[in-house]
Amino acid sequence: MAVSDSDPIIVDKTRIAPTYTEPISRFGDNRWDLAPLLHKPTVTGSRSINFDTFPPPFRSAAKRLLWLCLNVPTPIEDLERPTATRSQLSVGSIVVYAGFLRLWMTWLDGQDIHRLDGVTDNVYRRYCSEIAASGLSRESQANRLFAITRCWLYGPYLPDTDTLIRPYWEDTLARADVLGDAKWSAENRTPPIHPQTMSALLVWAIRFCTDFSADIIAATRTKSNPPRIPHLDGLTPSERFGNYAQQRRRSSKTIPGFYPNNRPGQRCIAKQFIGWQVGLDTEDVLHLGAMDRVFGDLEPIDEAELPVPITGTIDNQPWTGGINFYDVDDLSRLLSTAAFIVVAYLTGMRGEECRALRHGCCRTTTDETTGQARYLIYGRVFKNALDESGNTLPGGSERDQPWQAITPVAKAIEVMEALHPDSDLLFPLRAFTPFRNTDADKSVHPRMIRDRTMDLISWCNTKADEFGRPYELIPADPDGPVVLKRFRRTLAWFIYRQPGGRISLGIQYGHLRGHSTDGYGSRVASGLRDVFPMEEALAAAEYLEAAYTRLDNGESVTGPAAQRYRDGVRLYRRQFGGRYLTNRQAAALRSNPRLRIYDNNEQFVSCCYDQSKALCHPDRDRATRVEASPDITNCQPNCGNIARTDRNIADAEAAMDQARNEIASPATPLPLKVRLEQRIDNLNQIIDHHRNPRGHR
């Protein structure tokens, strides 16, 4: 396909999104709008290329290169090295590519080079030196240079004046000299949300969906449907307000008022609420002028609550005395945010997958063996959604297997469908913003989730103070704001750092048990196939690294599996100690049966898991399976996989001290004291066995 300045439009009409109806940019335009190529509702903001920002000598060349990028797959097979780069870029990547081109061409123009065929090896080297001195990361430098490589690859489609010579950094040895050694690691650098922050936030998010949602939805519907007042039929809005003012003068000589956000210390007349009371829509009220003339002699008072009964509670107390007319929209946004957090976090979806969910995505089935309800969520995936040529599908693809979810997730989806019944998207942008004229076909942006989550945390902390529940305050996260991309990482972190799923209200544990009968394994059903393996390996590496340090410092180990524990920890240190884990190393660590050592701090043991000896699985399979793991909820004291370290014993001693304190408390009932004394006796035996192993042979 040849490039021609006479091509009328910049892309073939068959590639245009079905919902796009605006004019399509033409090749000769100085600004190309790429919106026709946006098929995903999750894309917000504009996508365009302004050629007026390019140096004048290079504008025609830039247009030809970007037209090729839009319409012709990059011939990456001409590279002499492997690359993960797609031959067909997404719209967002094309905009980024245009930015790199502009930087390159602006630099060339400053070097008094005005045609691409005037670039020499010496010019390449000077540009590389400038990029190296810029302080950019290795990845950023590589991206800047590959933009030039892409220009070179498109050479066969370009006129001679636009053709580049082969960049010298495409030679393998030269590339290492230019960019240096890669310091890539498979470790996910996104920080998980702090456990205290996430646990408390999840408690409140679920509470919003299960306890507060009915009241907020009722208030939303009530506000949007003003009552019909038959005796006011036929009156203009001004006449209705005048009639209302006369009634108030005859009765209370007061008028409903409220404190606006921009003037918190000044009570104003609740004009919109009064309009609602007299049967007017919000739009009708907005067109009215000031009400001072009509209500000037009446005193504004706090009287703008909607007639909605409060059914939700906190600690058996109504969560609010009533819902103010002016608080409905804020509460609706908080409820939408809470629902998003529940769905995104408890399913493990990627942020874009969650943002793209639509009404009807959750379907309920019944488990034939248990008779329990199961919730399946259907949606689209975007990562690795490729066509037969290996290029990204702009609209994603249907997920092969639905996400499996638990009851709170199904409830959150039900809440959003009821809260915004006129939207096809489950999480539309307008559900999270106060602006009225928001595109109904766009989903919420990640930045909006971040901002609304901050609002939700502030509201919840105020309510916790109001109800005297300081233990339900949501603490600030030390790693910064709670942003969307951290949810998925946090779920995996919790599962492998908190193996029993001990998170607020046992929700996380319930999530695991719904899909796994193996305390640690078989978690692929949650939709986190790519996150879990590395997180599991990192958790194991952290544990084994700490175990080696304690062992090297003289820590004692006892129990039938003591020698296997010592051998496994030392083997880990020889093979993996002090290294970044690549995907291959992580897989090797997870699959090595000698390194399958798990901490069970509930039973004060270190489990050196061997399927053939595992008493936690009565029907255990003696064949070794990598995915099998101990059931920490059924740990047996006489199991041959048990080892006990000094750290386990220190935890046991701390548990004994806690039990003694409970026994000493006058609030502890006698039957419980008896059980606590029995627990102390059992712990004493465990400690004595560890301290005097020879005396118990």
Side-chain angles (χ1 to χ4, degrees):
M1 182 180 296
V3 184
S4 170
D5 291 11
S6 63
D7 285 334
I9 58 175
I10 60 172
V11 291
D12 189 276
K13 289 185 177 181
T14 59
R15 297 175 54 204
I16 296 172
T19 56
Y20 190 82
T21 57
E22 301 298 319
I24 302 167
S25 297
R26 298 179 177 275
F27 189 93
D29 295 341
N30 285 344
R31 179 183 172 277
W32 290 1
D33 184 2
L34 305 186
L37 296 173
L38 298 176
H39 290 250
K40 295 190 290 187
T42 54
V43 177
T44 57
S46 62
R47 296 288 190 276
S48 63
I49 301 170
N50 184 0
F51 291 98
D52 287 336
T53 61
F54 285 77
F58 286 104
R59 285 176 188 165
S60 294
K63 283 187 176 183
R64 286 189 283 270
L65 280 165
L66 286 162
W67 185 92
L68 285 168
C69 203
L70 284 167
N71 295 279
V72 180
T74 307
I76 54 176
E77 61 275 6
D78 291 348
L79 289 174
E80 295 179 3
R81 61 179 177 86
T83 179
T85 302
R86 305 283 183 204
S87 61
Q88 192 77 57
L89 295 181
S90 66
V91 172
S93 296
I94 290 174
V95 173
V96 173
Y97 171 60
F100 290 148
L101 270 186
R102 183 169 56 249
L103 290 171
W104 161 240
M105 292 174 170
T106 301
W107 183 85
L108 288 175
D109 193 52
Q111 300 290 311
D112 203 27
I113 299 170
H114 305 302
R115 290 185 8 175
L116 293 179
D117 63 348
V119 174
T120 64
D121 268 343
N122 188 43
V123 173
Y124 279 146
R125 293 181 191 279
R126 294 206 308 271
Y127 190 62
C128 284
S129 297
E130 180 151 322
I131 290 177
S134 66
L136 294 171
S137 67
R138 183 187 188 279
E139 181 182 4
S140 296
Q141 293 183 45
N143 288 337
R144 293 268 292 268
L145 295 180
F146 193 79
I148 301 172
T149 296
R150 197 179 290 274
C151 297
W152 164 67
L153 290 170
Y154 275 129
Y157 300 93
L158 294 166
D160 291 342
T161 54
D162 296 346
T163 302
L164 288 169
I165 63 171
R166 181 174 181 268
Y168 79 97
W169 57 76
E170 286 306 324
D171 177 78
T172 304
L173 295 177
R175 186 174 180 81
D177 291 339
V178 172
L179 295 172
D181 293 331
K183 293 181 172 58
W184 179 85
S185 167
E187 179 178 354
N188 188 339
R189 301 298 176 87
T190 302
I193 301 166
H194 193 279
Q196 293 181 357
T197 303
M198 189 65 241
S199 297
L201 178 59
L202 185 59
V203 167
W204 279 104
I206 292 175
R207 180 177 284 157
F208 253 88
C209 294
T210 57
D211 297 337
F212 306 162
S213 61
D215 299 337
I216 296 172
I217 291 171
T220 302
R221 291 174 176 172
T222 300
K223 180 180 178 179
S224 60
N225 293 285
R228 181 175 177 273
I229 317 295
H231 70 273
L232 298 180
D233 287 348
L235 297 183
T236 66
S238 296
E239 290 170 338
R240 293 188 185 215
F241 271 84
N243 183 284
Y244 183 87
Q246 291 298 332
Q247 292 178 2
R248 300 294 292 207
R249 289 190 183 96
R250 290 194 297 267
S251 55
S252 63
K253 301 190 185 308
T254 61
I255 201 75
F258 77 109
Y259 290 101
N261 292 331
N262 59 345
R263 286 177 288 173
Q266 179 181 350
R267 186 188 284 120
C268 299
I269 295 172
K271 186 174 74 171
Q272 289 180 318
F273 175 66
I274 295 170
W276 178 87
Q277 286 184 304
V278 297
L280 296 176
D281 291 326
T282 301
E283 294 299 323
D284 295 330
V285 178
L286 290 175
H287 293 306
L288 293 173
M291 292 289 106
D292 294 344
R293 182 178 57 81
V294 180
F295 300 124
D297 58 331
L298 299 173
E299 179 186 359
I301 61 171
D302 289 331
E303 188 191 314
E305 286 184 1
L306 289 168
V308 174
I310 303 302
T311 60
T313 61
I314 298 177
D315 204 12
N316 296 320
Q317 306 271 336
W319 66 278
T320 183
I323 297 181
N324 190 287
F325 178 90
Y326 295 93
D327 291 338
V328 171
D329 292 343
D330 286 341
L331 288 171
S332 175
R333 287 190 286 273
L334 293 175
L335 177 57
S336 297
T337 306
F340 188 95
I341 290 170
V342 170
V343 175
Y345 180 66
L346 289 181
T347 61
M349 292 183 189
R350 292 183 178 85
E352 191 173 30
E353 294 165 352
C354 189
R355 292 163 51 220
L357 291 176
R358 297 185 179 274
H359 279 227
C361 63
C362 185
R363 303 174 196 174
T364 307
T365 62
T366 302
D367 191 301
E368 296 180 357
T369 56
T370 64
Q372 294 181 336
R374 296 175 63 227
Y375 303 101
L376 304 177
I377 303 177
Y378 293 81
R380 302 186 75 79
V381 293
F382 302 99
K383 184 175 181 179
N384 297 327
L386 309 175
D387 61 20
E388 18 189 66
S389 301
N391 294 311
T392 301
L393 291 169
S397 61
E398 290 292 331
R399 194 171 193 264
D400 292 337
Q401 295 293 328
W403 290 275
Q404 296 188 43
I406 54 174
T407 304
V409 175
K411 177 62 178 177
I413 291 173
E414 175 189 317
V415 163
M416 288 305 296
E417 291 177 339
L419 193 60
H420 300 282
D422 56 342
S423 172
D424 181 44
L425 287 166
L426 193 65
F427 298 108
L429 177 61
R430 63 186 179 189
F432 297 83
T433 176
F435 302 109
R436 295 177 179 275
N437 299 323
T438 305
D439 192 342
D441 296 325
K442 294 298 181 184
S443 64
V444 61
H445 192 278
R447 287 195 300 272
M448 191 71 70
I449 293 294
R450 177 200 62 192
D451 295 344
R452 295 292 82 81
T453 300
M454 292 171 63
D455 295 341
L456 178 65
I457 290 173
S458 176
W459 188 95
C460 294
N461 285 344
T462 300
K463 190 63 70 171
D465 285 335
E466 178 187 328
F467 275 79
R469 299 167 75 88
Y471 47 87
E472 288 191 350
L473 289 169
I474 305 173
D477 187 285
D479 287 311
V482 175
V483 296
L484 177 53
K485 67 179 181 179
R486 297 178 67 189
F487 286 132
R488 184 174 165 86
R489 172 76 201 280
T490 305
L491 175 59
W493 187 95
F494 261 119
I495 290 171
Y496 285 104
R497 266 62 171 193
Q498 305 278 345
R502 290 175 296 119
I503 183 175
S504 57
L505 301 182
I507 289 298
Q508 201 58 64
Y509 182 72
H511 177 258
L512 290 185
R513 297 295 291 179
H515 308 299
S516 174
T517 56
D518 246 352
Y520 290 86
S522 305
R523 300 196 180 96
V524 293
S526 65
L528 283 152
R529 298 168 192 266
D530 56 339
V531 178
F532 273 152
M534 180 54 70
E535 196 64 47
E536 180 182 15
L538 291 171
E542 288 177 15
Y543 172 74
L544 292 169
E545 189 71 38
Y548 176 81
T549 301
R550 295 193 304 269
L551 201 62
D552 196 46
N553 290 334
E555 182 176 49
S556 298
V557 186
T558 59
Q563 190 57 48
R564 282 195 283 137
Y565 176 91
R566 287 188 284 264
D567 292 344
V569 169
R570 290 178 178 131
L571 175 64
Y572 162 79
R573 181 65 180 184
R574 288 196 303 272
Q575 292 187 348
F576 303 101
R579 300 181 184 177
Y580 282 116
L581 288 179
T582 65
N583 284 328
R584 182 175 297 180
Q585 290 168 333
L589 190 156
R590 289 185 295 109
S591 62
N592 192 325
R594 297 172 64 189
L595 301 181
R596 301 172 71 194
I597 302 174
Y598 303 94
D599 183 32
N600 186 351
N601 56 5
E602 293 293 331
Q603 300 296 329
F604 314 108
V605 304
S606 298
C607 175
C608 301
Y609 187 64
D610 180 343
Q611 282 174 256
S612 64
K613 297 182 175 66
L615 298 183
C616 57
H617 296 304
D619 54 348
R620 61 188 180 278
D621 183 358
R622 293 187 178 275
T624 300
R625 291 183 295 118
V626 172
E627 70 275 11
S629 52
D631 182 355
I632 61 173
T633 65
N634 191 34
C635 187
Q636 303 298 315
N638 58 333
C639 181
N641 289 334
I642 285 179
R644 283 198 171 91
T645 66
D646 289 345
R647 176 173 172 268
N648 297 138
I649 297 307
D651 291 341
E653 290 174 332
M656 284 178 61
D657 291 340
Q658 182 180 351
R660 291 192 185 102
N661 291 336
E662 292 185 42
I663 290 173
S665 171
T668 304
L670 183 59
L672 182 55
K673 288 184 178 182
V674 172
R675 288 198 295 274
L676 289 170
E677 288 170 350
Q678 291 172 346
R679 177 169 172 76
I680 289 174
D681 289 340
N682 291 335
L683 292 176
N684 255 325
Q685 291 180 33
I686 290 172
I687 295 169
D688 186 46
H689 274 263
H690 182 76
R691 297 274 166 77
N692 305 288
R694 294 184 179 179
H696 294 279
R697 287 181 177 174

